[in-house]
């Protein structure tokens, strides 16, 4: 019977070589139960640092009364003898204790288990593995964080929970975990080996093939209830779901209903925040038709499945199914092969262990579920699904991608993203659509997606490594010439292609072979894009009824333009006019630094200072950036000043930080692209949206170059209206319900200027009130508006 001693130490300064123990907490665990505790303060004979006092709650007066470590050292050593030492980050606790014993000549050698390592394996979807984060997620008893006994008690409960999880795993899975456990720190593998005798060979609820177990999936019974059971009256259907139809929803629903029997594509511009999803979806279902909805992002797909799908199924028996590209799913067969390979990487071995446990938990098999902590994207690529049927034979019954496809076939509504839609239309349009109505939501986002999918690119390092400069003097000169050309800001395609041809770099030569291609470099990749727009109209079968819906489908008041850019010559265009809102107000700061004359770092510091002052109002704050660098600098400045925040790609993915923000875990969220167009804030009753800079596209942007070729004055005719539309989209993200209230703050003083700024303000003022003022006057104005 193993006796675990779960230990936590508090110390004077973890970053100092003179670190001293100030408190010890030990919790003893046997047979999955806590059987005893021990705690004592320790006199370090030095004053505590203020931050240590604040962190632990210990005081110098309290510790002066405590025993010296030498007085209790043997007692502690005796307690730990014949135990397995357990700690959350054992390197710190064991190392400090061992060092303290050694200074007294006490020999201390016991097996060690690190619960951080185990938590990464048994909770593979968590985004944080610190004790406080785990305590909240797992509801551990953790009344006094950073008090030694409280931390040790929470860690002991964590150990017991992981012990229970291990014993519930199929024997083959647990045995396989042990095979890879040498990658774990210290003797942590001992914990896993001990659980083998308690594991069942065939526990209920799992499909086990060799060493891999997945959850058994219930056989899906296709519900016979037809979509035509919906009323043809939109308001009645909304009422059945406990919702009230809004005036603009009624307009959109009527338009959809009228256009359903026409084969002509319909472009419908509808303002954000009007509830357009039900307005376009219910008429389609009421007419007895099935559909495909395409959204810009996977985040929006998830939002539809979370907010819309359960309501439709509960009230009308209508199933919705989400589909993403096969590379988003795990390949059980590929993973099975990798399990047998010795990669030599400890982190990759731990990744294998995480996946083994995750497969016993997941219902979707989507790789996005896995935590990104201590994990490379290359790991995910190595196990991503590939549709090679022969490869999948042994584990086919466990594969998730085929099951997702089968589920989608029986669903009334398939929910996809634009990238997946374009790929499927290019390959199997008839099979994929199956006489369904195609609804493309936020259709203007198709341009960016089609551009990304159809661009050709090559990794320059791979090409340059093919050159052997020692082969000849000519090759050496050509290599030097090629590297020089690639380093220049203005790429001269003809010279690069010529050098590549002479060097025999066929891939690079092929990339640059198309005349008039737009060529650009980003980091280590060279990209080539055709000069024209990709024709979306050609991808859609003529017999398919297509609705293109979005908040920004026209760039000018005279003509929509977007339909022609997408390749449509015949179409109907309908616009639902926006109405002025009273629950939003725009504040334009007219005394901010000049954006063009201020460095990215300095402007980020100004932005951080503005956010800090706005945070004093104690409302949730969302800050939207177009630049990752600007976001990073702003986040670093705020963090250095002691602010707790959620920053995209720093504190998690867009989906992860959005979930935490909605739960109220943090007041400040810094977001990038997807937050402008694909993420809705519905939980916050009152909030502040900050936009540091106007969202103008850079001249180097490839789509901007293509748009520019279509306009006489690209900046005024394209960039200005596009930036205005993007601002409106951002405003709509925080106005999802009539009772919400939001103050919109644009720090960029260019919007208070003349010429194009006047044109932008005129366009925005049709929707909401605008006030231009110095930042010093903003706080009181916002407070007056929001309260």
């Amino acid at each position: 019977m193993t006796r675990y001693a779960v230990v936590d130490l508090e110390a004077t300064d973890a970053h100092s070589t003179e670190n001293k123990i100030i408190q010890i907490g030990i919790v003893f665990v046997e047979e999955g139960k806590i059987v005893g505790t021990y705690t004592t303060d320790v006199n370090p004979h030095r004053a505590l640092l203020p931050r240590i006092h604040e962190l632990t709650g210990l005081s110098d007066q309290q510790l002066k009364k405590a025993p010296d470590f030498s007085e209790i050292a043997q007692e502690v050593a005796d307690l730990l003898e014949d135990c397995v030492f357990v700690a959350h980050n054992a390197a710190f606790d064991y190392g400090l204790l061992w060092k303290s014993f050694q200074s007294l000549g006490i020999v201390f050698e016991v097996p060690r288990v690190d619960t951080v390592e185990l938590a990464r394996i048994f909770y593979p979807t968590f985004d944080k593995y610190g004790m406080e984060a785990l305590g909240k997620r797992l509801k551990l008893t953790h009344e006094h964080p950073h008090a030694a006994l409280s931390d040790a008690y929470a860690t002991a409960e964590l150990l017991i929970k992981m012990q229970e999880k291990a014993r519930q795993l199929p024997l083959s899975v647990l045995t396989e975990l042990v095979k890879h456990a040498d990658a774990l720190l210290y003797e942590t593998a001992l914990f896993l080996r001990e659980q083998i005798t308690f594991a069942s060979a065939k526990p209920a609820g799992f499909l086990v093939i060799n060493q891999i177990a997945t959850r058994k999936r219930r056989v899906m019974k296709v519900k016979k209830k037809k979509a035509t059971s919906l009323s043809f009256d939109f308001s009645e259907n909304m009422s059945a779901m406990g919702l009230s139809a809004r005036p603009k929803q009624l307009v959109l629903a009527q338009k959809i209903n009228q256009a359903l029997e026409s084969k002509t594509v319909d472009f419908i511009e509808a303002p954000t925040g009007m509830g357009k999803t039900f307005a376009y979806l219910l008429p389609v279902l009421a007419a007895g038709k099935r559909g495909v909805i395409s959204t810009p992002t996977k985040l929006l797909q998830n939002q539809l499945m979370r907010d819309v799908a359960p309501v439709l199924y509960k009230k009308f028996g209508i199933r919705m199914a989400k589909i993403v590209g096969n590379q988003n799913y795990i390949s059980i067969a590929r993973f099975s092969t990798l399990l047998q390979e010795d990669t030599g990487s400890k982190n990759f071995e731990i990744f294998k262990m995480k996946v083994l446990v995750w497969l016993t938990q997941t219902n979707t098999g989507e790789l996005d579920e896995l935590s990104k902590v201590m994990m490379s994207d290359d790991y995910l690529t190595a196990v991503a699904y590939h549709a090679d049927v022969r490869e999948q034979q042994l584990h086919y019954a466990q594969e998730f991608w085929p099951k997702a496809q089968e589920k989608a076939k029986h669903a009334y509504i398939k929910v996809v993203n634009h990238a997946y839609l374009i790929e499927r239309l290019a390959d199997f349009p008839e099979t994929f659509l199956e006489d369904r109505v195609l609804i493309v939501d936020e259709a203007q986002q198709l341009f960016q997606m089609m551009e990304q999918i159809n661009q050709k690119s090559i990794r320059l390092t791979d090409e340059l490594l093919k050159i052997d400069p020692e082969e000849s003097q000519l090759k050496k000169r050509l290599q030097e010439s090629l590297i020089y050309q690639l380093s220049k800001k203005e790429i001269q395609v003809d010279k690069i292609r010529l050098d590549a041809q002479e060097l025999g770099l066929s891939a690079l030569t092929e990339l640059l072979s198309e005349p008039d291609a737009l060529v650009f470099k980003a980091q280590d990749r060279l990209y080539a894009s055709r000069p024209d727009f990709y024709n979306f109209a050609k991808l859609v079968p003529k017999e398919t009824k297509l609705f293109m819906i979005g908040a920004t489908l026209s760039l000018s008041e005279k003509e929509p333009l977007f339909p022609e850019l997408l390749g449509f010559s015949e179409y109907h265009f309908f616009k639902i006019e926006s109405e002025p809102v009273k629950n939003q107000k725009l504040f334009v700061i007219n005394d901010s630094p000049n954006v063009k004359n201020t460095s990215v770092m300095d402007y980020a510091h100004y932005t951080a200072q503005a956010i800090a002052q706005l945070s004093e109002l104690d409302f949730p704050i969302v800050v939207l950036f177009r630049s990752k660098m600007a976001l990073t600098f702003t986040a670093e400045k705020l963090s250095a000043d002691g602010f707790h925040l959620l920053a995209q790609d720093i504190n998690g993915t867009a989906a992860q930080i959005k979930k935490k923000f909605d739960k109220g875990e943090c007041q400040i969220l810094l977001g990038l692209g997807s937050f402008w167009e694909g993420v809705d804030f519905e939980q916050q009753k009152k909030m502040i949206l900050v936009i540091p800079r106007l969202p103008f596209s850079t001249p180097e942007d490839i789509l901007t170059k293509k748009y520019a070729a279509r306009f006489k004055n690209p900046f005024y005719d394209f960039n200005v209206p596009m930036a205005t539309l993007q601002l409106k989209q951002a405003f709509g993200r925080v106005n999802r319900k009539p009772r919400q209230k939001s103050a919109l703050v644009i720090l960029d003083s260019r919007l208070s200027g003349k010429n194009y700024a006047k044109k932008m303000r005129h366009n925005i003022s049709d929707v909401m009130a605008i006030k231009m003022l110095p930042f010093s006057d903003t706080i009181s104005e916002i407070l007056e508006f929001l309260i």
Side-chain angles (χ1 to χ4, degrees), residues 236-289:
E236 285 186 21
N237 292 327
M238 290 291 284
S239 180
M241 297 186 296
L243 302 170
S244 298
R246 305 177 202 171
K248 291 189 184 301
Q249 282 182 313
L250 287 167
V251 174
L252 178 54
Q254 185 179 10
K255 182 63 183 176
I256 297 287
N257 192 49
Q258 292 171 348
L260 271 172
E261 298 309 319
S262 167
K263 292 299 181 184
T264 305
V265 60
D266 285 89
F267 284 79
I268 303 176
E269 184 168 303
T272 57
M274 58 163 281
K276 63 180 182 290
T277 303
F278 283 127
Y280 64 62
L281 189 52
L282 292 179
V284 170
L285 294 170
K289 298 180 182 295

Side-chain angles (χ1 to χ4, degrees), residues 492-538:
Q492 295 183 303
V493 176
D494 291 340
K495 290 185 177 180
I496 294 174
R497 183 171 57 240
L498 185 61
D499 287 344
Q501 284 175 335
E502 294 195 44
L503 286 165
L505 301 178
S506 56
L508 182 54
T509 304
E510 172 65 23
L511 180 75
L512 304 176
S513 62
E514 186 169 342
D516 302 319
L518 297 172
V519 179
F520 62 99
K521 191 176 77 164
Q523 296 179 332
D524 190 36
R525 299 195 76 86
L526 193 68
Y527 295 83
S529 175
R530 294 202 305 264
D532 58 329
F533 288 93
Y534 295 98
N535 194 318
F536 180 75
K538 287 185 178 179

Side-chain angles (χ1 to χ4, degrees), residues 553-557 559-562 565 711 717-718 721-722 725:
L553 297 182
S554 58
L555 285 177
S556 71
E557 297 176 3
E559 53 182 332
L561 291 177
F562 273 5
L565 294 177
F711 299 93
D717 294 338
F718 170 70
M722 180 57 78
L725 292 174

